[in-house]
Amino acid sequence: MFYYLALLQFFFLLLLLFLGWQAWLYFRHLRLKKRIEKSPFPTELLSHLQRIPHYRLLDDSLKKALHRKILYFLATKEFRGVKITVTEEMKAVISFYACLMVLKIPNECYEALRTILIYPSEVLYEDLRAHERVYRKERVILEGQSAGDTVVIAWNDARKEAYHLRHHNVVVHELAHVLDFEDGVMDGVPPLERSRTDEWARTLYRRFQALQTKARKNRDWGKYALLGEYAATDEAEFFAVVTELYFQSPWILTKHFPDLYREWKSFFGLDTARLFAALEKRRSLS
């Protein structure tokens, strides 16, 4: 009798400790947001943001909201350099694209993400791969990686992609993986309202399967060449690659894959094709 009573008291104490911890985190979050609301945006960060073409096309209200997200992101993430010193430019570029992605998603700021590791350039490593039961080591060039609460970014790629118009963006790609995994599964379906999950999944898997067919045959790619072979790796990479296009080259999606653009817009909440239309014109003239 006394054993069960003691056990019950123990679990009750654990519950109180857990609730107390959650309350502390909640009020800490509120205090941080209140402090950020009163804080001016750092001039040095702003000078770096103004060099990014995407940033210059945002209106003042979006910039203001973005600044708040960036300050919260910087206050809650650890930036660590590997054989490189972390600079304000690195923080500005990485936090800009990370926060642009979730600008219209309420309260979203990658709560599970803790650390951003920055390498000076791509990382070369050996990977053991299997093909028809034959295993061999291959050298792989890594521009970025997302694993658990950590994201790896190669700075030379991130910097070039921030200031010059490209379809690829390593920061967007890796942060897309973080969003994808927030429901506990990296499957190309980010956390969505239940009413939207089925349509998203149908659209994604239909396009993904068509891309895989093209990749297996390696011919007659047509418009699927715009997505590329890497997007056919699995559904998670498909989601990340399409997310890159959604923010970097949305006109590709609106023209060739309007169904994908519609679903991505429903999740991210930004009409990137309208916001960044000027980038398409600039690229067509270059």
Side-chain angles (χ1 to χ4, degrees):
M1 182 69 176
F2 290 108
Y3 169 78
Y4 290 111
L5 181 60
L7 191 62
L8 182 62
Q9 290 175 333
F10 174 73
F11 282 115
F12 183 70
L13 179 61
L14 286 181
L15 178 61
L16 287 179
L17 289 173
F18 174 76
L19 292 176
W21 171 250
Q22 292 298 311
W24 182 83
L25 289 177
Y26 175 73
F27 286 111
R28 176 175 174 268
H29 168 77
L30 288 182
R31 287 196 301 270
L32 178 58
K33 292 196 73 173
K34 186 176 292 186
R35 190 175 80 237
I36 286 172
E37 287 296 328
K38 297 178 180 179
S39 301
F41 195 74
T43 303
E44 185 176 358
L45 285 178
L46 185 60
S47 67
H48 294 302
L49 293 183
Q50 288 171 338
R51 297 175 58 199
I52 301 174
H54 288 89
Y55 177 81
R56 295 198 298 268
L57 292 174
L58 300 176
D59 63 35
D60 289 342
S61 63
L62 289 178
K63 286 178 180 176
K64 183 177 179 180
L66 183 69
H67 291 170
R68 305 276 78 79
K69 288 259 189 183
I70 287 175
L71 290 177
Y72 185 85
F73 187 85
L74 292 173
T76 55
K77 316 304 174 196
E78 179 189 13
F79 289 76
R80 291 169 51 193
V82 181
K83 298 181 180 180
I84 192 172
T85 301
V86 175
T87 65
E88 292 302 298
E89 181 187 16
M90 294 175 187
K91 292 180 179 180
V93 167
I94 293 171
S95 61
F96 167 74
Y97 280 107
C99 296
L100 175 67
M101 294 170 64
V102 298
L103 185 55
K104 287 291 187 177
I105 304 178
N107 301 319
E108 175 57 70
C109 209
Y110 310 98
E111 293 301 326
L113 178 62
R114 292 289 178 266
T115 306
I116 298 160
L117 292 179
I118 306 173
Y119 283 77
S121 57
E122 298 91 341
V123 180
L124 184 65
Y125 74 101
E126 288 190 343
D127 188 26
L128 187 64
R129 299 192 175 187
H131 179 68
E132 295 180 353
R133 298 184 180 181
V134 176
Y135 291 85
R136 65 178 184 273
K137 286 186 177 180
E138 292 184 1
R139 286 192 168 186
V140 178
I141 296 176
L142 185 70
E143 295 179 13
Q145 188 177 50
S146 177
D149 61 357
T150 302
V151 161
V152 175
I153 300 293
W155 173 240
N156 67 334
D157 293 299
R159 191 175 190 276
K160 285 185 291 188
E161 292 154 2
Y163 302 137
H164 304 283
L165 303 179
R166 297 166 182 257
H167 298 314
H168 182 56
N169 186 300
V170 64
V171 178
V172 172
H173 187 101
E174 299 309 329
L175 270 295
H177 284 317
V178 175
L179 292 175
D180 185 11
F181 193 62
E182 286 197 345
D183 58 1
V185 183
M186 198 176 290
D187 58 356
V189 182
L192 295 162
E193 296 176 6
R194 184 177 295 273
S195 60
R196 290 164 49 196
T197 301
D198 290 344
E199 181 59 29
W200 175 287
R202 279 195 296 269
T203 302
L204 181 142
Y205 293 133
R206 182 174 65 250
R207 291 298 190 183
F208 174 68
Q209 288 168 2
L211 177 63
Q212 277 202 318
T213 299
K214 301 290 186 182
R216 281 195 297 269
K217 294 180 179 179
N218 197 24
R219 58 184 174 83
D220 302 325
W221 282 82
K223 63 185 181 181
Y224 284 91
L226 298 168
L227 299 177
E229 186 176 3
Y230 190 67
T233 304
D234 54 40
E235 293 88 344
E237 294 300 345
F238 183 88
F239 171 71
V241 169
V242 173
T243 301
E244 288 182 84
L245 292 175
Y246 180 76
F247 285 96
Q248 296 294 104
S249 307
W251 44 91
I252 286 178
L253 296 181
T254 55
K255 181 178 180 179
H256 300 286
F257 303 100
D259 52 344
L260 291 177
Y261 185 84
R262 182 178 64 252
E263 293 303 321
W264 263 244
K265 181 183 173 184
S266 73
F267 174 65
F268 288 104
L270 284 173
D271 188 353
T272 53
R274 180 186 62 81
L275 279 175
F276 305 132
L279 297 184
E280 179 187 10
K281 294 178 181 178
R282 190 182 309 175
R283 178 177 287 165
S284 64
L285 294 173
S286 62

